Amino acid sequence: MPVSMHSHSGQFCKHAFCSLEEVVMRAIEVGFTHYGLSEHMPRYEPEDLYEEEIEEDLAPTDLQNMFEDFVKEARRLQEKYKDKICLIVGLETDVIREDSFDRIRKLKKDLELDYIVGSVHHVDGIPTDFSRELFEKAETLAGGTEKVMCRYYDLQYQLIKELQPEIIGHFDVIRIYRADFQMTDLIWEKIVRNIELGISYGALFEINTAGASPRKNLKHPYPHTQILKYLLDSGAKLTLSDDAHGTGDVGFWYNNLPQYLATHNVSDLYYLERALVTNASMEQENRVTCKKMTDCLNHPFWSQCVDILEKDQ
């Protein structure tokens, strides 16, 4: 399945590596036919800056300018490499305050973005997947592990309801520092609620291989296998993402994906593609459409991908 719908680069994200063009060139080398460029949206308050941004003396206006530069460069690469790879250009969300939703809508409209990766990275304004220390701060403020997870899934529900993102990003990233925490009935109710809402409008749910990184403590891609089973049983549309933060992450863990997908009986996958469509005024315009790939495990991409990735390890 030669697709990944979610990625970053060090050119426009201070905790990533490599230029955006290097990431795209690596995606082509690995054999991807469709690749999503989904940089983190700007954060708008000084207290929301990350450590590496503070060290570089950046301000929220710098993040806004950086994101606009990302869109310009991504569109350039989209055109430059159009004969080699289908690139789509969007953003990954940060939901920090009530005005986050309006800001996201405005960014998508003003910059004519193709799509949104709907992700939650903060609870009560505190980043929950940036460091264990910050997660524990959010956990304490919420009143414990169950409560911080419930707050996370409530924010995710609000995001899905407000924005209807085309992709729902790393569904259960809140587990990153509590990988062994058993989902309570209350948490599971919220998970089911969120999944059903996403299914209702056709959202794509990521199988995000970044979860299998040794840095993530989870051992397997997002989402948890219990959640994956529910998604499959419910007829949810699944997609793939490497969530790359540099060339070394492009196609991360994809050499293990055929066995993983087969184990969980995943045969059909979905992806987004930018194409010319006829609108209501009978004019042609570029729009992202959802495509289905059946019998994905027999796609020739896997043999090429595995050979390249294992050779480079």
Side-chain angles (χ1 to χ4, degrees):
M1 181 66 174
V3 307
S4 171
M5 296 286 98
H6 177 177
S7 67
H8 307 275
S9 78
Q11 187 174 356
F12 302 107
C13 172
K14 294 302 179 181
H15 60 267
F17 305 91
C18 308
S19 71
L20 188 61
E21 186 160 12
E22 287 172 324
V23 170
V24 170
M25 291 173 65
R26 177 59 174 169
I28 294 169
E29 180 186 7
V30 171
F32 285 105
T33 60
H34 295 73
Y35 207 75
L37 307 179
S38 56
E39 198 48 81
H40 290 286
M41 65 177 285
R43 279 157 281 111
Y44 294 93
E45 301 297 334
E47 58 265 34
D48 298 331
L49 295 170
Y50 291 145
E51 291 175 4
E52 67 269 12
E53 295 160 348
I54 295 170
E55 289 173 1
E56 292 198 24
D57 200 26
L58 297 179
T61 52
D62 296 314
L63 301 189
Q64 175 71 28
N65 293 335
M66 192 184 305
F67 187 81
E68 292 176 6
D69 289 343
F70 154 72
V71 175
K72 292 175 186 175
E73 174 66 356
R75 292 298 187 201
R76 183 185 76 82
L77 298 174
Q78 191 176 52
E79 177 64 22
K80 179 177 179 178
Y81 293 104
K82 65 182 180 181
D83 295 332
K84 297 182 178 179
I85 193 168
C86 178
L87 299 173
I88 56 173
V89 180
L91 63 80
E92 183 179 16
T93 62
D94 273 314
V95 178
I96 305 176
R97 296 175 181 82
E98 278 298 319
D99 67 354
S100 295
F101 304 110
D102 287 337
R103 290 186 182 276
I104 294 164
R105 279 187 281 262
K106 180 173 172 54
L107 276 173
K108 188 180 185 186
K109 180 181 179 181
D110 290 352
L111 298 176
E112 299 181 329
L113 300 175
D114 297 329
Y115 77 120
I116 290 174
V117 176
S119 301
V120 175
H121 301 98
H122 298 73
V123 172
D124 296 320
I126 302 170
T128 52
D129 61 339
F130 189 81
S131 71
R132 183 177 295 275
E133 179 183 10
L134 285 170
F135 172 83
E136 290 176 351
K137 181 179 178 181
E139 184 181 47
T140 299
L141 181 63
T145 305
E146 181 187 51
K147 289 185 178 179
V148 77
M149 290 190 175
C150 285
R151 288 283 297 124
Y152 168 87
Y153 286 114
D154 285 344
L155 284 170
Q156 185 184 65
Y157 179 81
Q158 191 176 3
L159 181 149
I160 296 169
K161 184 177 180 180
E162 290 271 355
L163 300 176
Q164 294 193 352
E166 290 83 354
I167 309 282
I168 297 179
H170 40 55
F171 187 90
D172 56 340
V173 69
I174 191 65
R175 295 176 47 247
I176 186 171
Y177 297 112
R178 293 291 182 266
D180 297 326
F181 183 78
Q182 296 298 309
M183 285 179 276
T184 64
D185 290 344
L186 180 58
I187 291 172
W188 184 248
E189 287 174 9
K190 293 177 184 292
I191 288 171
V192 169
R193 174 200 62 186
N194 294 7
I195 289 173
E196 295 299 328
L197 182 60
I199 289 174
S200 72
Y201 70 87
L204 307 190
F205 294 81
E206 286 185 334
I207 296 176
N208 183 319
T209 58
S213 167
R215 302 188 303 273
K216 304 296 186 183
N217 309 302
L218 300 176
K219 301 184 175 127
H220 297 291
Y222 307 106
H224 188 283
T225 54
Q226 182 180 344
I227 298 173
L228 179 59
K229 183 179 186 305
Y230 186 84
L231 287 165
L232 288 164
D233 290 345
S234 302
K237 296 178 180 178
L238 301 177
T239 192
L240 300 179
S241 296
D242 58 23
D243 200 353
H245 280 64
T247 56
D249 296 334
V250 172
F252 172 74
W253 214 75
Y254 271 52
N255 49 322
N256 297 301
L257 268 177
Q259 181 60 50
Y260 186 79
L261 296 175
T263 297
H264 295 286
N265 298 313
V266 178
S267 59
D268 298 338
L269 289 167
Y270 295 79
Y271 59 98
L272 301 178
E273 180 176 88
R274 196 168 188 254
L276 278 174
V277 298
T278 303
N279 62 24
S281 302
M282 301 305 292
E283 299 172 334
Q284 285 200 319
E285 62 182 13
N286 274 301
R287 191 180 300 167
V288 162
T289 58
C290 180
K291 301 286 187 177
K292 181 179 181 180
M293 185 175 290
T294 60
D295 196 22
C296 63
L297 291 175
N298 288 321
H299 197 285
F301 164 76
W302 295 117
S303 58
Q304 173 186 340
C305 167
V306 169
D307 289 345
I308 291 173
L309 292 175
E310 292 187 350
K311 179 187 69 175
D312 293 344
Q313 284 180 351

